[in-house]
């Protein structure tokens, strides 16, 4: 697509999105998606300044108000903030302002959480609230005084002995998350459209014509700045302004912090990245403001932003990018997974260029094509997924994607078992399946063979040095030396690592075998009940289903796996090569006299250092046990980040909650 066409497309989309957002109160695009498209437009325009048009969204100061309320011109415009999307951009901002004010030795910064709400300006005359106005386009807003007066955290009268003749207080009106959810539930029940986010709900509420509805929705307000016409000298810094606002009776966000230098700012930003999830309202970044007013005045404003403040945004979890190719990957189970290869883009703090498309049905549902602009999202895990495509941005002459009929690795026909979404390669000697199996076997949570990653595995296969997992244990240093990547030392190191892996516990070996549905947790459960490979291979479906946590699907997968002659051979080979496919016993004496003997634990949330399995191992080695649900029989709940409902239940039952550090202390001798 030509640059001209892309520019046109981007402008049209951004215009549509801001109309939907500001005028219709019905957003059609996530904020982060808007930001990213806006930046693409900015970048293209910077590279081609002659292509900038006056109607481009980049040339606009604010957004237009709609017309149901009386328009009020702001005495002093309500500026918006420039965004920084990472620490480097924050540093560049500092360098920029320092170039303008080189005489300043030390800047103090005030860090404030960027509350996701709607900016409003309140005018007080002789201490009394006379007017409340929305931000509007920054120069003109809408008078919403009636609605403002329903917000309890906005004083109708200032708590000052000698109130100034006039003062304008600015801040953010917002809906606490609980209230936001309550409103959306109610709207859902009444078949009304839902608010996309708390900011939108706050803006929509402020511009409600019926103040009774506004009253029912408990808006709140954090004040963050003030203007005292004629008395500018009274206040000399942002910090003093916040103190003044508190004294006057406003709610000021309690987490504002005065920092010296950028290191303090970065620390604040990082501290709140996780902690903000626990706040009862939504924040999407940190607003960094230069504290000293004289310095603020010296720096002034650009067309759109103050030079003395910036918003440092938390990484987006959703972002748009363009699809360059669609490929399929054959995994160790033979499952063929399609994936989109995209223009590299920043997502939740990392650069990504591949996203899973799950399966053929999903591709059809999305109708994703090479050239499409897509929205991708971090799906909790490491691999991002494609959420949707932006059909409006599709270039001309694209063609629908046709799923391959044959395995790209071995060429055999692909099959789709009845009633399954997954398409598979069923050739048991397919090189892609073998490659996946080897990588899985060597991976950290399986046999944990240091130095045996994807690259080395590919090389071993290409040089036909291995043809099965068992072959790894037959490798010789001399064979590795023939490969480009290896010298004497590195070859010896890998062979030693493979040797060491022979003593991994049975549960890890079982996980490493890659039986369908047998992940780490099931491998652990099965290895406890069936402490040798013989016992497990002889188990019937009912035997397996008898194990707590093992369902019919898993039981069947295990039985089928052991029926396969190729797998029987593999077990025999591994045993002959010196692997112990049996529980070598946790030291029973230690378990019996362990520190946690008789104690029952429940795990919830993500721990900072230990994996779930590691925590479980530690508990069991000390004689304790782990169960899945909290009851009166639970002694401790080990609490990680983003805990589930188990934490609340434990609290209501008065069960002791432990952090990872407290837990580790319990284990100390
Ligand atoms: S200061 C000239 N402080 O963010 C200074 N804004 O992206 C302009 N916001 O329109 C605003 N929390 O709606 C400021 N502590 C805070 C804020 C904040 C949220 C919003 C505000 C503004 C938008 C700019």
């Amino acid at each position: 697509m030509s640059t001209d066409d892309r520019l046109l497309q981007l402008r049209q989309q951004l215009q549509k999105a801001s109309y939907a957002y500001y005028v219709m109160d019905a957003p059609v695009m996530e904020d982060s998606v808007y930001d990213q498209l806006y930046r693409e437009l900015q970048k293209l325009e910077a590279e081609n300044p002659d292509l900038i048009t006056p109607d481009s969204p980049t040339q606009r100061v604010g957004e237009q108000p709609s017309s149901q309320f009386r328009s009020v011109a702001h005495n002093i415009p309500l500026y918006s903030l420039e965004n920084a999307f990472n620490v480097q951009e924050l540093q560049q901002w500092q360098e920029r302002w320092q170039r303008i004010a080189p005489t300043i030795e030390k800047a103090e910064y005030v860090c404030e959480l960027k509350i996701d709400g709607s900016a409003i300006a309140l005018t007080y005359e002789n201490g009394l609230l006379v007017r409340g106005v929305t931000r509007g386009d920054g120069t003109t807003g809408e008078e919403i005084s009636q609605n403002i007066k329903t917000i309890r955290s906005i004083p109708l009268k200032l708590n000052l002995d000698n109130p100034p003749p006039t003062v304008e207080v600015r801040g953010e009106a917002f809906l606490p998350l609980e209230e936001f959810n309550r409103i959306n539930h109610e709207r859902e029940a009444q078949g009304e459209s839902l608010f996309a986010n708390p900011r939108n709900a706050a803006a929509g509420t402020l511009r409600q014509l019926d103040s009774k509805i506004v009253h029912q929705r408990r808006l709140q307000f954090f004040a963050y700045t003030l203007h005292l016409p004629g008395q500018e000298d009274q206040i000399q810094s942002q910090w003093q302004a916040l103190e003044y606002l508190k004294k006057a009776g406003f709610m000021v966000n309690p987490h504002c912090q005065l920092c010296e230098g950028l290191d303090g700012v970065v620390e604040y930003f990082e501290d709140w990245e996780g902690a903000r999830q626990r706040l009862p309202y939504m924040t999407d970044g940190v607003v960094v403001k230069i504290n000293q007013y004289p310095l603020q005045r010296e720096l002034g404003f650009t067309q759109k932003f103050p030079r003395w403040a910036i918003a440092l945004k938390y990484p987006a979890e959703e972002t748009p990018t363009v699809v360059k190719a669609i490929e399929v990957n054959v995994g160790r189970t033979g499952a063929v997974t399609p994936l989109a290869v995209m223009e590299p883009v920043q997502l939740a703090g990392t650069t990504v260029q591949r996203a899973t498309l799950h399966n053929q049905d999903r591709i059809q549902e999305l109708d994703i094509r090479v050239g499409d602009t897509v929205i991708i999202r971090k799906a909790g895990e490491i691999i991002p997924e494609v959420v949707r495509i932006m059909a409006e941005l599709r270039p001309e002459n694209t063609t629908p994607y046709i799923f391959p009929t044959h395995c790209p690795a071995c060429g055999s026909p692909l099959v789709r078992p009845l009633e399954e979404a997954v398409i598979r390669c069923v050739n048991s000697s397919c090189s892609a399946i073998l490659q996946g199996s080897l990588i899985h076997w060597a991976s950290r949570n399986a046999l944990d063979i240091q130095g045996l990653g994807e690259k080395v595995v590919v090389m071993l296969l290409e040089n036909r040095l291995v043809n099965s997992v068992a072959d790894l244990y037959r490798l010789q240093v001399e064979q590795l030396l023939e490969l480009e990547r290896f010298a004497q030392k590195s070859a010896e190191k890998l062979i030693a690592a493979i040797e060491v892996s022979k003593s991994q516990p049975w549960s890890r070996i079982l996980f490493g075998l890659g039986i369908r549905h047998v992940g780490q947790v099931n491998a652990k459960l099965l290895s406890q009940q069936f402490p040798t490979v013989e016992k497990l291979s002889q188990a019937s479906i009912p035997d397996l289903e008898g194990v707590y946590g093992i369902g019919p699907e898993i039981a069947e997968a295990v039985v089928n796996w052991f029926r396969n002659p190729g797998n029987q051979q593999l077990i025999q080979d591994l045993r002959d090569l010196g692997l112990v496919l049996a529980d070598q016993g946790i030291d029973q004496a230690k378990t019996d006299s362990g520190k946690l003997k008789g104690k029952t634990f429940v795990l919830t949330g993500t721990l900072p250092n230990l994996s779930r399995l590691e925590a479980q191992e530690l508990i069991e080695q000390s004689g304790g046990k782990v169960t899945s649900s909290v009851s009166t029989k639970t002694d401790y709940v080990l609490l990680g980040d983003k805990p589930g409902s188990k934490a609340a239940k434990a609290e209501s039952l008065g069960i002791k909650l432990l952090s990872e550090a407290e837990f580790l202390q319990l284990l100390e001798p």
Side-chain angles (χ1 to χ4, degrees):
M1 190 190 306
S2 73
T3 310
D4 264 337
D5 287 348
R6 183 70 180 170
L7 279 167
L8 188 68
Q9 256 188 352
L10 288 169
R11 279 181 197 135
Q12 281 173 352
Q13 278 315 302
L14 291 169
Q15 259 148 17
K16 262 197 221 161
S18 65
Y19 177 79
Y21 187 101
Y22 287 100
V23 181
M24 303 308 290
D25 271 344
V28 291
M29 197 182 273
E30 300 78 0
D31 289 358
S32 57
V33 173
Y34 186 93
D35 283 349
Q36 180 66 24
L37 294 177
Y38 188 91
R39 293 182 120 209
E40 187 184 340
L41 178 62
Q42 265 182 328
K43 187 167 161 264
L44 283 179
E45 287 183 343
E47 287 162 6
N48 306 281
D50 46 322
L51 297 182
I52 299 178
T53 55
D55 69 338
S56 172
T58 56
Q59 307 302 304
R60 186 203 275 288
V61 176
E63 302 299 334
Q64 72 267 47
S66 70
S67 57
Q68 289 156 328
F69 293 89
R70 186 171 78 90
S71 284
V72 177
H74 295 295
N75 286 335
I76 308 162
L78 266 84
Y79 285 86
S80 144
L81 290 170
E82 187 185 347
N83 287 326
F85 290 92
N86 51 52
V87 170
Q88 198 193 356
E89 290 182 3
L90 178 75
Q91 271 154 353
Q92 288 165 352
W93 165 73
Q94 174 173 269
E95 285 159 20
R96 268 199 314 274
W97 76 250
Q98 281 177 336
R99 273 199 296 275
I100 303 174
T103 52
I104 304 301
E105 277 173 24
K106 197 174 67 178
E108 291 163 8
Y109 293 114
V110 175
C111 292
E112 298 170 15
L113 294 174
K114 188 170 190 303
I115 311 294
D116 211 18
S118 200
I120 49 177
L122 309 169
T123 307
Y124 288 81
E125 283 173 7
N126 300 314
L128 292 180
L129 176 63
V130 294
R131 201 166 38 252
V133 182
T134 63
R135 174 170 181 272
D137 66 359
T139 40
T140 313
E142 292 167 309
E143 204 209 302
I144 47 162
S145 307
Q146 277 315 102
N147 289 347
I148 293 287
K149 287 182 182 165
T150 66
I151 305 178
R152 314 248 167 124
S153 38
I154 293 183
L156 299 177
K157 182 170 179 281
L158 297 180
N159 180 31
L160 296 172
D161 292 337
N162 286 312
T166 70
V167 56
E168 190 180 304
V169 173
R170 293 175 175 186
E172 202 77 357
F174 64 97
L175 278 168
L177 286 170
E178 208 183 305
E179 187 63 4
F180 166 72
N181 291 328
R182 184 191 67 74
I183 296 168
N184 261 352
H185 280 139
E186 238 173 63
R187 289 173 76 89
E188 193 174 15
Q190 284 161 14
E192 293 173 61
S193 66
L194 302 189
F195 286 122
N197 51 45
R199 161 143 43 120
N200 207 250
T205 303
L206 285 170
R207 293 165 67 241
Q208 260 289 331
L209 291 171
D210 183 353
S211 301
K212 278 209 282 308
I213 297 186
V214 186
H215 182 72
Q216 284 161 10
R217 299 186 189 163
R218 307 269 154 151
L219 279 165
Q220 295 198 13
F221 178 79
F222 281 132
Y224 49 62
T225 191
L226 82 168
H227 295 282
L228 275 169
Q231 299 188 34
E232 280 82 6
D233 296 349
Q234 266 210 19
I235 289 173
Q236 286 302 327
S237 70
Q238 170 64 8
W239 196 252
Q240 275 178 18
L242 295 176
E243 295 292 333
Y244 181 99
L245 289 167
K246 269 188 252 179
K247 228 176 87 215
F250 288 96
M251 201 158 89
V252 167
N253 187 284
H255 308 299
C256 296
Q257 192 174 306
L258 190 59
C259 300
E260 256 180 43
L262 231 43
D263 288 349
V265 173
V266 173
E267 203 177 308
Y268 179 93
F269 177 72
E270 284 169 357
D271 283 352
W272 279 103
E273 176 150 20
R276 75 196 170 109
Q277 315 283 358
R278 290 190 283 278
L279 289 170
Y281 41 82
M282 183 99 114
T283 54
D284 61 348
V286 170
V287 181
V288 186
K289 299 175 181 169
I290 289 181
N291 187 34
Q292 303 101 312
Y293 274 7
L295 182 48
Q296 286 192 5
R297 277 194 284 272
E298 185 175 342
L299 292 170
F301 297 82
T302 68
Q303 266 239 316
K304 300 171 88 167
F305 313 121
R307 291 199 184 86
W308 44 264
I310 194 160
L312 180 55
K313 296 281 221 52
Y314 286 112
E317 259 127 47
E318 288 193 5
T319 185
T321 179
V322 175
V323 178
K324 292 200 296 191
I326 297 174
E327 291 179 353
V328 292
N329 176 50
V330 185
R332 65 185 162 85
T333 62
V336 180
T337 316
L339 47 93
V341 183
M342 307 156 311
E343 287 293 343
V345 68
Q346 283 286 316
L347 180 67
T350 51
T351 307
V352 297
Q353 47 190 331
R354 278 164 205 280
T356 176
L357 293 165
H358 299 293
N359 52 47
Q360 187 184 22
D361 293 348
R362 181 73 184 140
I363 291 192
Q364 266 167 5
E365 196 184 310
L366 290 166
D367 181 25
I368 183 170
R369 303 177 185 193
V370 172
D372 270 341
T373 299
V374 293
I375 308 294
I376 55 168
R377 168 172 67 202
K378 277 269 164 81
E381 296 301 321
I382 312 119
I383 311 163
E385 63 177 359
V386 172
V387 186
R388 61 184 170 88
I389 64 160
M390 301 184 74
E392 323 83 281
L393 295 179
R394 172 172 286 170
E396 275 170 29
N397 303 326
T398 60
T399 46
Y401 175 74
I402 298 167
F403 209 88
T405 51
H406 289 74
C407 174
C410 70
S412 46
L414 296 175
V415 294
R416 180 169 179 171
L418 271 178
E419 292 177 31
E420 271 197 40
V422 182
I423 293 184
R424 284 176 199 283
C425 171
V426 287
N427 169 15
S428 58
S429 49
C430 170
S431 62
I433 298 179
L434 180 56
Q435 179 181 321
S437 310
L438 289 165
I439 293 170
H440 174 70
W441 177 265
S443 67
R444 202 165 81 99
N445 293 323
L447 279 284
D448 193 16
I449 304 177
Q450 304 280 321
L452 188 55
E454 182 170 343
K455 284 207 182 98
V456 175
V457 166
V458 169
M459 206 182 274
L460 294 175
L461 287 170
E462 276 172 357
N463 289 278
R464 299 181 188 281
L465 291 183
V466 292
N467 205 15
S468 75
V469 163
D471 284 346
L472 290 174
Y473 297 90
R474 299 188 176 105
L475 278 173
Q476 308 284 331
V477 171
E478 298 71 46
Q479 290 176 300
L480 293 183
L481 283 176
E482 283 166 27
L483 305 179
E484 203 181 293
R485 202 185 164 95
F486 286 93
Q488 184 72 28
K489 230 178 168 171
S490 50
E492 280 172 8
K493 217 168 147 190
L494 179 57
I495 298 298
I498 293 173
E499 190 61 27
V500 166
S501 77
K502 286 183 178 171
S503 57
Q504 288 286 17
W506 162 223
S507 62
R508 279 177 173 258
I509 297 178
L510 178 53
F511 171 59
L513 290 174
I515 303 173
R516 270 182 84 188
H517 309 301
V518 181
Q520 272 177 279
V521 174
N522 288 338
K524 183 102 196 162
L525 291 171
L526 289 169
S527 69
Q528 280 164 349
Q529 287 303 313
F530 304 97
T532 66
V533 72
E534 286 76 26
K535 289 200 170 125
L536 183 62
S537 64
Q538 284 154 15
S540 65
I541 289 187
D543 292 342
L544 291 160
E545 278 189 62
V547 179
Y548 175 77
I550 301 296
E553 225 182 353
I554 310 168
E556 201 183 314
V558 172
V559 168
N560 284 343
W561 195 90
F562 280 105
R563 271 201 199 128
N564 178 315
N567 294 334
Q568 287 169 6
Q569 184 63 48
L570 173 64
I571 296 293
Q572 189 54 47
D573 287 354
L574 289 173
R575 213 192 267 123
D576 293 347
L577 286 159
L579 279 87
V580 185
L581 289 86
D583 212 336
Q584 294 166 59
I586 306 167
D587 187 345
Q588 204 58 41
K590 202 168 142 199
T591 313
D592 288 347
S593 63
K595 291 208 158 262
L596 305 179
K597 185 165 181 268
K599 299 285 185 221
T600 304
F601 281 73
V602 170
L603 311 179
T604 180
T606 318
L607 297 171
N609 302 301
L610 295 172
S611 73
R612 225 162 222 275
L613 217 63
E614 283 165 340
Q616 182 168 352
E617 253 163 37
L618 285 173
I619 292 167
E620 286 167 357
Q621 278 166 12
S622 301
K625 78 174 183 206
V626 176
T627 60
S628 57
S629 59
V630 177
S631 73
T632 48
K633 295 200 183 102
T634 312
D635 295 289
Y636 297 106
V637 169
L638 182 49
L639 191 68
D641 202 22
K642 296 196 189 148
S645 59
K646 290 175 192 169
K649 180 150 185 216
E651 266 193 318
S652 71
L653 292 174
I655 293 162
K656 188 155 175 51
L657 298 169
L658 293 178
S659 69
E660 184 187 271
E662 287 167 332
F663 163 67
L664 292 172
Q665 260 173 18
L666 276 188
L667 296 176
E668 274 171 18

